[in-house]
């Protein structure tokens, strides 16, 4: 089984949109290998439109020309990924990432390139052509690169098998598939076809589905097909989006388990939106970043760093390398919200999870605009004991013989504990 615990890595979308280049990817891989790998971070993922030679930022060029091989498959743009020249594709870049002890991933759009359909190019392993397998009524609402694939058409199976044969030959370990998660059912057959091709390609690859919000009634389908799926649309550094994630986390947390993880999306920390210069630094406060990472780890969401790691400051590096917090991804189980209440103008949201080898985790969130003095009784923590010992996961400080948990929590902040009974 792959993805036994939630995948942890970096994705180029937040900081570079469609315009990331090979040198940037290599620099971030170097940084991860040096600073983050010992803490479980391992995936380096190239996001959307790596086949687009003229990509500049987060804006797409409508109906632009893409780099494509003779079998209707997109390939890297050589001007942005020089090592892909002479038909090598992403193999050299993946080999470099692997040499650092990391894993390599790519983003793809569901379907077949529109330009392949217009040129009616061949499908490898089939006598069908792109035009014969395309569903031209199935188009992405926000990107013009692809048509959907008619999963019932002769040649559709061979097309997706040829894609993942290519990705396996490149050494890809992670595939983020876009425009396939939130608008099932017309994409459901295509998802099953794609998933079968990935799982039969002969190489282990994490399958990640985007964008959200995913459909809760399709949770079992996502588990059957994929290792992670987005429960939200693109998540950015806005408090209202983080606040909204509490209700999404409560709804989806029971579906987290080995091999399949509800995905709360990337962590917009550090130097995001690089095309905006200094204005591109995350707008989240330090307390909001503690809240975000605590909630993601408590609910066991995959963790994908969104900022250019090379520019990390000391706070961001420490945020991403706190072993006590990150440990929740591998050591916790049965995470759930205990309660959500507003008392004296302070909304507190309390979560807990069991630790596999005993004890439990507890997080007290203050989602209000003012500092709150919050008390949580042991009964409210579902603990039938007179006293416990606490270890603050962020500060490392310990307190023994506690009969009730009292915390002063800053606005939009959190206190997170390991509770030893």
């Amino acid at each position: 089984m792959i993805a036994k615990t939630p995948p942890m890595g970096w994705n180029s979308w937040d900081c570079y949109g469609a315009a990331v280049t090979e040198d940037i990817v290599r620099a971030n891989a170097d940084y991860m290998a040096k600073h983050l790998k010992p803490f479980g971070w391992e995936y380096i993922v190239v996001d959307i439109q790596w086949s687009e030679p003229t990509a500049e930022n987060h804006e797409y060029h409508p109906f632009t020309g893409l780099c494509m091989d003779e079998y209707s498959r997109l390939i890297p743009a050589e001007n942005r990924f020089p090592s892909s020249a002479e038909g090598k594709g992403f193999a050299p870049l993946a080999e470099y990432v692997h040499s650092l002890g990391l894993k390599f991933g790519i983003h793809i759009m569901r379907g077949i390139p529109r330009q392949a359909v217009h040129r009616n190019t061949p499908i490898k392993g089939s006598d069908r052509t792109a035009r014969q397998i395309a569903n031209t009524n199935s188009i992405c609402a926000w990107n013009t690169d692809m048509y959907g694939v008619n999963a019932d058409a002769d040649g559709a199976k061979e097309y997706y098998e040829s894609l993942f044969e290519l990705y396996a030959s490149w050494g890809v370990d992670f595939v983020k598939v876009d425009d396939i998660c939130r608008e099932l059912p017309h994409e459901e057959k295509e998802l099953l076809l794609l998933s079968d091709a990935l799982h039969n390609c002969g190489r282990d690859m994490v399958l990640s589905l985007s964008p959200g919000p995913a459909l809760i009634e399709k949770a079992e389908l996502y588990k059957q097909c994929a290792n992670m799926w987005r429960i939200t649309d693109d998540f950015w550094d806005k408090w209202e989006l983080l606040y909204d994630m509490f209700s999404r986390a409560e709804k989806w947390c029971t579906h987290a388990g080995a091999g399949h993880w509800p995905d709360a999306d990337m962590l917009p920390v550090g130097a995001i939106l690089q095309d905006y210069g200094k204005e591109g630094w995350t707008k989240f406060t330090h307390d909001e970043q503690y809240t975000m990472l605590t909630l993601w780890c408590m609910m066991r969401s995959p963790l994908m760093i969104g900022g250019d790691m090379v520019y990390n400051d000391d706070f961001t590096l420490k945020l991403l390398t706190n072993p006590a917090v990150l440990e929740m991804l591998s050591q916790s189980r049965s995470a759930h919200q205990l309660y959500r209440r507003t008392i004296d103008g302070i909304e507190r949201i309390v979560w807990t999870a069991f630790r596999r080898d005993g004890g439990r985790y507890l997080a007290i969130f203050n989602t209000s605009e003012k500092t709150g003095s919050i008390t949580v009784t042991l009964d409210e923590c579902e603990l039938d004991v007179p006293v416990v010992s606490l270890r603050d996961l962020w500060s490392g400080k310990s307190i023994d013989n506690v009969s009730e948990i009292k915390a002063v929590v800053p606005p939009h902040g959190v206190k997170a504990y390991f509770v030893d009974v």
Side-chain angles (χ1 to χ4, degrees):
M1 177 189 291
I2 62 173
K4 291 182 180 179
T5 59
M8 299 169 61
W10 172 83
N11 179 291
S12 62
W13 169 254
D14 279 4
C15 45
Y16 290 99
V20 74
T21 56
E22 182 168 349
D23 57 337
I24 294 169
V25 175
R26 286 176 179 256
N28 276 274
D30 291 341
Y31 182 95
M32 180 177 286
K34 182 178 180 180
H35 298 287
L36 301 180
K37 178 185 169 186
F39 299 89
W41 302 92
E42 59 177 343
Y43 288 97
I44 296 289
V45 181
V46 179
D47 209 84
I48 197 167
Q49 284 199 323
W50 35 264
S51 60
E52 213 275 73
T54 65
E56 298 173 297
N57 48 41
H58 288 79
E59 303 297 325
Y60 306 119
H61 296 153
F63 305 104
T64 191
L66 306 173
C67 297
M68 187 177 76
D69 72 4
E70 68 271 29
Y71 293 118
S72 310
R73 303 176 299 187
L74 297 178
I75 55 176
E78 292 181 15
N79 64 317
R80 293 172 52 201
F81 299 93
S83 70
S84 69
E86 301 177 352
K88 295 177 182 176
F90 272 128
L93 182 53
E95 183 178 6
Y96 180 76
V97 171
H98 293 156
S99 75
L100 299 173
L102 304 175
K103 296 179 180 179
F104 179 71
I106 59 174
H107 169 290
I108 66 172
M109 296 293 294
R110 169 185 67 90
I112 190 164
R114 291 193 190 194
Q115 68 184 40
V117 176
H118 299 159
R119 298 173 190 175
N120 205 25
T121 46
I123 301 298
K124 186 178 182 182
S126 171
D127 60 2
R128 304 287 95 179
T129 64
R131 193 171 298 164
Q132 291 172 304
I133 71 167
N135 178 0
T136 56
N137 292 319
S138 175
I139 59 176
C140 177
W142 41 266
N143 179 277
T144 60
D145 292 348
M146 314 293 274
Y147 287 126
V149 166
N150 176 1
D152 295 322
D154 290 342
K157 177 175 178 288
E158 288 79 4
Y159 168 69
Y160 269 118
E161 287 176 343
S162 76
L163 281 187
F164 288 98
E165 175 188 51
L166 180 65
Y167 303 155
S169 74
W170 288 347
V172 171
D173 306 295
F174 183 110
V175 181
K176 174 184 174 182
V177 184
D178 217 333
D179 192 37
I180 203 165
C181 191
R182 69 182 173 200
E183 293 182 353
L184 300 166
H186 79 272
E187 300 154 4
E188 189 168 325
K189 284 187 177 181
E190 191 170 357
L191 171 58
L192 291 167
L193 192 67
L194 180 153
S195 176
D196 285 345
L198 180 148
H199 290 114
N200 293 324
C201 76
R203 182 178 179 84
D204 285 341
M205 301 181 194
V206 170
L207 178 54
S208 168
L209 305 182
S210 288
L215 307 175
I216 191 70
E217 64 271 20
K218 294 293 183 178
E220 297 308 315
L221 174 66
Y222 301 136
K223 294 178 189 178
Q224 172 189 341
C225 295
N227 303 109
M228 50 191 278
W229 57 91
R230 284 264 297 278
I231 64 173
T232 179
D233 203 338
D234 284 3
F235 178 80
W236 288 102
D237 51 339
K238 298 178 180 178
W239 168 248
E240 58 268 27
L241 297 180
L242 179 51
Y243 182 73
D244 179 65
M245 195 62 68
F246 284 96
S247 59
R248 297 181 188 276
E250 182 187 16
K251 180 170 66 173
W252 279 101
C253 64
T254 57
H255 294 285
H260 49 83
W261 308 103
D263 177 15
D265 199 18
M266 285 180 278
L267 302 167
V269 296
I272 60 175
L273 291 173
Q274 278 298 285
D275 39 334
Y276 290 92
K278 291 182 179 179
E279 294 302 312
W281 195 264
T282 183
K283 302 302 187 295
F284 276 144
T285 66
H286 287 182
D287 284 317
E288 288 167 347
Q289 292 177 69
Y290 289 136
T291 287
M292 175 176 60
L293 199 61
T294 302
L295 180 61
W296 267 234
C297 290
M298 179 71 76
M299 68 170 283
R300 304 186 78 191
S301 168
L303 302 180
M304 287 287 161
I305 300 164
D308 189 324
M309 296 183 289
V310 172
Y311 298 103
N312 279 354
D313 60 4
D314 185 60
F315 171 83
T316 306
L317 178 58
K318 288 180 178 178
L319 179 83
L320 298 172
T321 56
N322 181 313
V325 174
L326 296 175
E327 213 170 53
M328 286 192 280
L329 292 174
S330 61
Q331 298 301 317
S332 68
R333 59 182 175 86
S334 304
H336 59 283
Q337 180 178 296
L338 287 173
Y339 64 82
R340 183 172 189 165
R341 299 172 189 160
T342 299
I343 302 173
D344 296 329
I346 302 295
E347 183 183 48
R348 68 283 313 272
I349 304 175
V350 181
W351 276 68
T352 193
F354 296 96
R355 185 180 165 91
R356 293 182 183 277
D357 57 359
R360 67 174 62 194
Y361 296 103
L362 182 76
I364 304 170
F365 300 95
N366 174 12
T367 58
S368 305
E369 302 300 321
K370 59 182 180 179
T371 298
S373 180
I374 301 171
T375 299
V376 180
T377 69
L378 299 186
D379 283 344
E380 290 171 331
C381 295
E382 302 172 344
L383 291 168
D384 187 21
V385 293
V387 295
V388 297
S389 296
L390 301 179
R391 176 165 52 87
D392 188 310
L393 299 182
W394 285 109
S395 72
K397 295 179 180 178
S398 296
I399 310 173
D400 294 326
N401 299 316
V402 175
S403 58
E404 59 182 5
I405 300 166
K406 296 181 178 181
V408 177
V409 189
H412 299 182
V414 64
K415 288 291 186 180
Y417 302 101
F418 172 67
V419 183
D420 190 355
V421 296

